[in-house]
Amino acid sequence: MTSAEPLFRLQELELRLAQTIKRLREIADQLANDQVIREAEQQIAVAQQSLRPLQTRVRDLELEIQSNTTKSQQTNDTLYSGRVRNPKEMQDMQHEVQALQKRNQDLENTLLDLMLKVEEAEETLNERKTHLQSVQSQREHDNADLIHERERLEGEKQELQQKRDQVLKSVDAESLAAYNNLKPRKHNQPVALLVDRSCSFCQVEQEMSVVSEVRRGHKLTTCSSCGRILAYKSG
Ligand SMILES: [Zn+2]
């Protein structure tokens, strides 16, 4: 008695097992990889770094404007207090007030430009924070699905391995050796079915002698074209 038919079942189980293991590896990789989140966090850090010096500059400008205003008011107050009588001194003070006001106008223009930049930078930062949140919630959602799938596949893997062990019991050592020998050369598909008179893999019709041999099942017979072990599936 040969084991061509169980070899075909063995092949089916091993192909499914290989696919299951491949998918489990992909899932493990995906679960371990939070590259997307790291990138989103990095983008936030970059936005914060460009915002901070702008905010500092705004504060400095505001302080300088404030100080100029105070100084200008004080000089003005002194000027109109009647305490200063010297025309040269009065003129110097007027010039000083004018210079301070002119300086403040320039500073306020700069401040206005700067505030627009701060606004833009804040907007960018907020967008990136929102992006991180959406990436995180997507990740949690994806992970839930992946963990579910992993559980299911682990169960399937175990089941397939048990079935495989079961099938192996009905395969003799010689047939298994032939199967394992052909397997790497036939892309993990060393067995084909004989359907009517043709090989299910390459579709080539076999000689009657081959067909009868396969049907008798006394020894392993290979397809005359692709070289795969032919299994006869009755019924
Ligand atoms: Zn063939």
Side-chain angles (χ1 to χ4, degrees), residues 192 199 201-203 206 223 225-228:
C199 164
F201 195 91
C202 68
Q203 313 298 332
Q206 309 293 307
C223 166
S225 171
C226 70
R228 285 180 170 78

Side-chain angles (χ1 to χ4, degrees), residues 83-91:
R83 280 183 273 124
V84 184
R85 300 271 164 82
N86 183 333
K88 171 77 174 84
E89 206 180 328
M90 286 173 80
Q91 204 180 30

